[in-house]
Amino acid sequence: MSEQEPTNAHLLAASAAIALESRRLIERTDRTSFQDVGDTLDALHEHLAVAGGSLLFLARRLGCEAEVERMVKEGQQRVDAFRACRGLGGRA
């Protein structure tokens, strides 16, 4: 690891701080303001990209990148299946 690469602690701290700050950002958002909601979504988009990238970088460093990517893919498939069934109300 070079001096310029973040340590594992740096990567975890960045991801945790982003998650916590994102929650505070959402709590402070005026949901009746289209502009405020849009600004919040833009900020969350950037925050989540940094957090996700940091965690994937850490997974690569720890040697579990393939397993993490598989688990993320499986989780996304579950979310997609839930979304596909939403609103069916038992009438499938």
Side-chain angles (χ1 to χ4, degrees):
M1 182 169 20
S2 74
E3 291 179 30
Q4 295 178 347
E5 286 186 10
T7 65
N8 293 348
H10 285 120
L11 294 169
L12 288 170
S15 297
I18 287 169
L20 295 170
E21 180 54 32
S22 293
R23 286 185 53 85
R24 285 190 285 272
L25 178 63
I26 291 167
E27 290 169 357
R28 291 190 312 263
T29 299
D30 177 1
R31 290 171 180 85
T32 64
S33 167
F34 180 77
Q35 180 67 43
D36 206 23
V37 170
D39 291 346
T40 297
L41 289 174
D42 287 343
L44 289 174
H45 185 264
E46 295 301 318
H47 291 176
L48 294 172
V50 172
S54 294
L55 292 170
L56 289 175
F57 187 87
L58 181 59
R60 184 178 316 120
R61 184 181 286 169
L62 296 174
C64 59
E65 181 179 24
E67 183 178 4
V68 168
E69 286 182 352
R70 177 186 57 77
M71 294 170 75
V72 168
K73 184 177 179 181
E74 289 171 357
Q76 187 59 53
Q77 289 171 341
R78 285 191 299 276
V79 168
D80 292 344
F82 172 78
R83 286 181 178 155
C85 295
R86 190 173 49 193
L88 293 178
R91 297 174 292 209

